[in-house]
Amino acid sequence: MHARSVAAAAIDGVTGELFQAKLTPSREHVISWVQALPGPVAVTYEAGPTGFGLYRALTQAGVRCEVAAPSKLQKPSGDRVKTDAKDALHLARLLRLDEVTSVAIPSVDQEAARDLVRAREDCRGDLMRARHRLSKLLLRHGIVYYGGAAWTGKHDVWLRTEALAQLTSQATRVTFDSDYEAVLTVKARRDRLNAAIQEMAEDGEYTDLVHRLGCLRGVGALTGFALAVEVGDWHRFTGNSIGSFVGLVPSEYSSGSSRVQGSITKTGNTHVRRLLVEAAWHHRPSYRIGKTMRDRWDLAPAAAKSRGDAGNRRLHERWVRFNERKKRPTIANVAIARELAGWCWSLAVLEEPSMS
């Protein structure tokens, strides 16, 4: 599947006859070619930037369609020739053998919410880069802020007064103005996206799930909503398997009697992995139930509150043990994030008992 072309291949399951074609990206064109094949027909294509529109169109037309996970496709290591026609034929063979690992297809509303979350993620990266450009401009001129944490209200006043006053060149001052304006613009865009996500988190189809996830430290409304829309159907995982979905399990190279484990795989959903790693740091300080946590618990069911409290205590105890063993904090935090993923799963699939 490409933006301007589609390479298609089909294998007759009875006769073994091969059909190949070069199609346009028009869904009508693809569906008409598929329906002209001797039925019944099953279709697969790789997940990618073309989205899930073709899947929905084929499903609506009564054609079974699987969207293959590209990272799970089996490919011979010795095959060094790659063409669209060969890839299409390879997909057809894998589908015939039922060796295609499918991705979870989001609903239209879930996909729209995911786009919003990822727009906020991109904006976060843009803001970080804009801030770096401004701070490194000042650093090249020997101007460093010593007044505490950066990018606070106090730091902003320092930028507009003391830092700017130390720049003598007109060209440098114009550069400072440009970089500072970029920081303010991107920050305003991030705040607008935050407000939109907060509104959807408080009143939408994911509200109950966000409230349950919020029983854990480090998982506020923004993080909870992002986890909800990125994971989608939590019931397709278990407490153990969700860690591999986000790439937080160790890689392994074992054969015979040797067993070697390496760094984490970093496969799967990158955004969810980053959110979990960031949230895991919140479990390092002593666990005290403050107003913020109590306010979140008030929005969640009693069972979720109890489960969240147990998770918070357990994850902090894990941090204490890692610190006693003098484990490197970054490595320890990844282990905490992997366990945090399991606690998030347990809250996501938690069902309140019926009152009837």
Side-chain angles (χ1 to χ4, degrees):
M1 294 287 299
H2 294 288
R4 296 177 179 83
S5 65
V6 174
I11 302 174
D12 191 312
V14 178
T15 66
E17 183 180 359
L18 175 64
F19 304 87
Q20 288 185 292
K22 194 79 169 179
L23 309 175
T24 66
S26 167
R27 293 169 192 170
E28 292 76 13
H29 190 188
V30 174
I31 291 174
S32 64
W33 183 81
V34 169
Q35 291 178 334
L37 297 170
V41 181
V43 177
T44 186
Y45 68 95
E46 290 186 58
T50 53
F52 302 105
L54 180 59
Y55 166 87
R56 296 187 180 108
L58 286 166
T59 303
Q60 189 174 4
V63 179
R64 175 197 161 200
C65 181
E66 305 287 341
V67 182
S71 61
K72 301 292 185 180
L73 292 177
Q74 302 176 17
K75 294 184 179 180
S77 59
D79 190 355
R80 302 301 177 89
V81 178
K82 182 188 183 305
T83 66
D84 289 343
K86 286 191 66 175
D87 285 347
L89 182 57
H90 182 63
L91 282 170
R93 287 171 174 160
L94 289 178
L95 182 62
R96 186 184 182 190
L97 296 172
D98 199 22
E99 291 292 335
V100 171
T101 301
S102 303
V103 301
I105 308 299
S107 65
V108 176
D109 291 339
Q110 181 186 346
E111 191 172 13
R114 187 181 293 178
D115 288 339
L116 177 63
V117 166
R118 292 181 180 180
R120 198 267 179 191
E121 175 78 358
D122 294 338
C123 189
R124 183 197 65 85
D126 293 342
L127 179 59
M128 180 181 67
R129 285 185 286 271
R131 285 173 168 175
H132 282 179
R133 281 193 294 269
L134 180 57
S135 63
K136 299 312 176 276
L137 170 69
L138 297 176
L139 181 60
R140 289 196 297 272
H141 290 82
I143 306 172
V144 181
Y145 179 64
Y146 295 102
W151 311 112
T152 60
K154 184 179 177 182
H155 179 246
D156 184 69
V157 173
W158 175 83
L159 285 172
R160 291 183 283 107
T161 55
E162 297 181 37
L164 182 58
Q166 296 180 55
L167 299 176
T168 56
S169 169
Q170 178 62 25
T172 306
R173 293 172 72 92
V174 171
T175 305
F176 174 91
D177 289 341
S178 174
D179 290 345
Y180 181 66
E181 181 184 6
V183 171
L184 295 181
T185 302
V186 178
K187 184 175 180 296
R189 180 157 56 95
R190 185 203 61 181
D191 293 343
R192 289 194 299 271
L193 291 171
N194 284 351
I197 293 173
Q198 187 79 32
E199 182 180 352
M200 291 185 68
E202 292 176 354
D203 185 18
E205 63 174 305
Y206 299 104
T207 301
D208 292 340
L209 175 55
V210 171
H211 288 166
R212 295 200 300 273
L213 294 176
C215 294
L216 293 167
R217 284 207 291 179
V219 185
L222 297 179
T223 300
F225 185 81
L227 291 174
V229 301
E230 288 287 350
V231 176
D233 182 13
W234 293 78
H235 291 84
R236 58 197 170 109
F237 302 108
T238 65
N240 291 326
S241 66
I242 194 169
S244 60
F245 168 71
V246 294
L248 287 171
V249 296
S251 57
E252 185 169 342
Y253 303 89
S254 300
S255 180
S257 59
S258 68
R259 183 172 184 262
V260 180
Q261 288 186 311
S263 58
I264 59 172
T265 60
K266 293 187 178 180
T267 58
N269 195 304
T270 305
H271 186 200
V272 173
R273 182 169 64 252
R274 185 191 68 78
L275 291 172
L276 291 170
V277 169
E278 285 191 356
W281 287 110
H282 290 260
H283 293 271
R284 193 179 189 186
S286 298
Y287 177 46
R288 296 184 180 89
I289 305 172
K291 182 180 184 304
T292 300
M293 183 56 66
R294 291 188 184 280
D295 289 344
R296 284 200 230 149
W297 281 355
D298 290 341
L299 300 173
K305 172 184 173 180
S306 176
R307 186 71 178 161
D309 181 58
N312 292 333
R313 295 182 187 278
R314 158 76 179 180
L315 293 171
H316 176 65
E317 289 171 1
R318 290 270 287 160
W319 258 117
V320 171
R321 289 200 293 271
F322 279 132
N323 290 334
E324 289 173 349
R325 292 163 52 190
K326 300 188 184 303
K327 198 77 170 177
R328 193 166 21 156
T330 50
I331 295 178
N333 189 66
V334 170
I336 299 296
R338 180 167 61 249
E339 187 165 337
L340 175 61
W343 285 98
C344 288
W345 170 84
S346 69
L347 285 164
V349 300
L350 182 67
E351 295 182 0
E352 281 290 280
S354 176
M355 300 301 293
S356 59

